[in-house]
Amino acid sequence: MDAAVERAMEVFWSRGYHATALPDLLRATRLSRGSRYAAFGDKHSLFLRALDRYIADALRRMEGEFDPRNDPVAGLRAYLAGYVERTSGSSGRRGCLLVATAMELAGQDAEVGRRVAGFFKAMEAKVMDALSRAKAAGNLADGVEPAIAANILVRFVEGLRVVGKTAPARIASQAAADALLGRFVK
């Protein structure tokens, strides 16, 4: 089932929710119509499972970047570097399933909207925790409030996702990330 969800996620990611048809999902999941319905229910239910998978993968990645046993500033740099990498060149053109979903469905589908908003809230909490630990260690610039800086950083990386669709040069995105983080940390 995990492999089928992964393959369905790839289809939704490349086509979007509305442009993905049942035959696309049947081919991708390698399930018959009846098996797919029995395992996942309708298209919307399968999409929610795929979106949950994408969110879980992103949160797992952030857990590693923001491991509390590691230096929080190094974690913030790794977090931003990961976004720069995923949003530059051909990787950036692929885009982000979560951002594409937010644009396509979040305003019309309450369940999707809750998941997207929940992910952004969880991301902001992880960034704020790292910034709070950096502040406690004396590594934040004077006057920087972790909650406000976390909100700005989350908005910045999601903006990178949108701009990434134009395949910007990695060096430009990295320079922007470095300049922004340089405003927050010593």
Side-chain angles (χ1 to χ4, degrees):
M1 288 303 146
D2 284 341
V5 170
E6 176 80 25
R7 290 189 294 267
M9 181 182 74
E10 293 294 328
V11 174
F12 286 124
W13 193 350
S14 66
R15 294 177 181 252
Y17 178 78
H18 290 302
T20 298
L22 180 59
D24 301 323
L25 293 171
L26 294 176
R27 265 190 311 278
T29 60
R30 301 178 190 142
L31 296 172
S32 69
R33 185 180 300 256
S35 296
R36 188 208 44 93
Y37 190 80
F40 302 111
D42 62 7
K43 173 182 166 181
H44 189 259
S45 297
L46 178 55
F47 178 75
L48 292 176
R49 291 272 301 267
L51 185 61
D52 288 344
R53 168 71 178 269
Y54 188 88
I55 289 169
D57 290 348
L59 291 173
R60 212 173 3 265
R61 184 181 60 250
M62 282 186 277
E63 289 292 328
E65 292 163 346
F66 295 128
D67 187 328
R69 296 170 294 188
N70 298 332
D71 175 60
V73 174
L76 289 162
R77 289 189 198 292
Y79 166 75
L80 290 173
Y83 272 92
V84 166
E85 186 64 34
R86 288 185 296 281
T87 61
S88 300
S90 62
S91 296
R93 279 223 164 100
R94 182 166 193 218
C96 170
L97 176 62
L98 197 78
V99 170
T101 297
M103 300 300 291
E104 183 180 10
L105 296 174
Q108 305 158 8
D109 184 320
E111 190 58 38
V112 168
R114 277 192 292 279
R115 281 172 162 83
V116 171
F119 172 74
F120 290 145
K121 185 176 180 179
M123 182 194 302
E124 195 169 320
K126 289 178 185 313
V127 174
M128 188 173 74
D129 179 66
L131 288 162
S132 295
R133 289 185 293 115
K135 184 174 185 171
N139 293 326
L140 278 194
D142 293 338
V144 172
E145 289 301 321
I148 294 168
N151 183 277
I152 291 168
L153 286 169
V154 167
R155 290 168 190 261
F156 172 76
V157 297
E158 294 310 325
L160 280 178
R161 286 295 209 176
V162 173
V163 173
K165 294 292 277 181
T166 66
R170 186 181 191 291
I171 194 164
S173 295
Q174 188 63 58
D178 291 344
L180 181 57
L181 189 58
R183 299 282 186 188
F184 299 144
V185 299
K186 292 180 182 177

